[in-house]
Amino acid sequence: MNDGQAKGERTRLDRIDVRILAHLQKNGRVTNVQLADAVGLSASPCLMRVKRLEKAGYITGYGAHIALQKLGDTMLVFTEVTLSDHRRRDFARFETAIRGVDEIIECHLVSGGYDYLLKFITKGVVHYQAIIEHLLEQNIGIEKYFSYVVIKSIFSKTHYPLESFFASRE
């Protein structure tokens, strides 16, 4: 947050901020000089903007994209989960339990015919089934689940189309 900014108030982003975010999400290892050149700033103002975006929580971290196929056999599974009860505490109990499962790499509360969409990465079918059985044994409110094993991933983007989201603001 900026010094004059109230807690909970969002920092306003301009087109340069959005361009900085767009470039960083595609290459978090870019040097500040390269980033500044890409967004049309000099190095010092660019670094100040990056620091402000980090402090405001727009940039939550930097990391490496791993080629899992090079590490051995893995299996990607999407799982639809329906809870037996739908009180606030039922959702909280389920979410707390699955946060501790390393193999669940995404969890989305969704509308429609089920409650959650989970994304698992496992060593294979046996590993996945062991995780599911363990979750069912924990009595965390799972009424039913449906599993979809990914046969082939055509693409998986690791960046968001930020510039198109904010194009209408200009």
Side-chain angles (χ1 to χ4, degrees):
M1 270 189 301
N2 292 336
D3 293 334
Q5 186 177 9
K7 188 173 182 158
E9 186 181 327
R10 270 202 239 154
T11 300
R12 282 205 71 107
L13 300 180
D14 63 17
R15 65 179 175 74
I16 294 175
D17 292 328
V18 173
R19 290 176 70 194
I20 288 170
L21 293 172
H23 276 81
L24 283 176
Q25 71 176 344
K26 291 177 184 175
N27 182 2
R29 292 182 58 147
V30 67
T31 68
N32 183 57
V33 171
Q34 292 167 325
L35 179 61
D37 186 52
V39 300
L41 290 176
S42 60
S44 182
C46 183
L47 183 59
M48 287 173 48
R49 282 179 180 252
V50 169
K51 295 296 182 194
R52 180 176 50 81
L53 291 167
E54 289 171 347
K55 188 173 182 182
Y58 286 98
I59 299 171
T60 59
Y62 298 89
H65 302 288
I66 308 298
L68 285 176
Q69 67 276 12
K70 296 214 177 250
L71 300 175
D73 289 335
T74 59
M75 184 175 80
L76 191 60
V77 182
F78 289 94
T79 304
E80 298 172 355
V81 174
T82 302
L83 300 183
S84 51
D85 294 304
H86 294 92
R87 295 175 304 252
R88 184 178 302 170
R89 70 175 181 253
D90 300 314
F91 289 102
R93 178 180 61 193
F94 176 78
E95 291 170 14
T96 298
I98 64 165
R99 280 184 198 282
V101 180
D102 287 341
E103 292 85 355
I104 300 175
I105 58 174
E106 291 183 20
C107 172
H108 307 275
L109 178 63
V110 297
S111 64
Y114 54 95
D115 298 315
Y116 290 94
L117 180 63
L118 306 178
K119 183 177 179 181
F120 287 79
I121 186 77
T122 68
K123 295 182 282 187
V125 174
V126 173
H127 183 205
Y128 171 75
Q129 191 59 36
I131 295 165
I132 287 293
E133 288 172 2
H134 179 70
L135 289 172
L136 293 170
E137 289 168 359
Q138 288 183 29
N139 193 26
I140 58 173
I142 298 174
E143 179 179 311
K144 61 184 175 180
Y145 70 95
F146 293 96
S147 305
Y148 302 91
V149 175
V150 174
I151 304 302
K152 178 181 178 183
S153 293
I154 309 308
F155 68 86
S156 178
K157 294 181 180 178
T158 59
H159 61 277
Y160 305 116
L162 297 180
E163 292 181 280
S164 66
F165 286 175
F166 292 92
S168 62
R169 287 185 172 182
E170 295 180 25

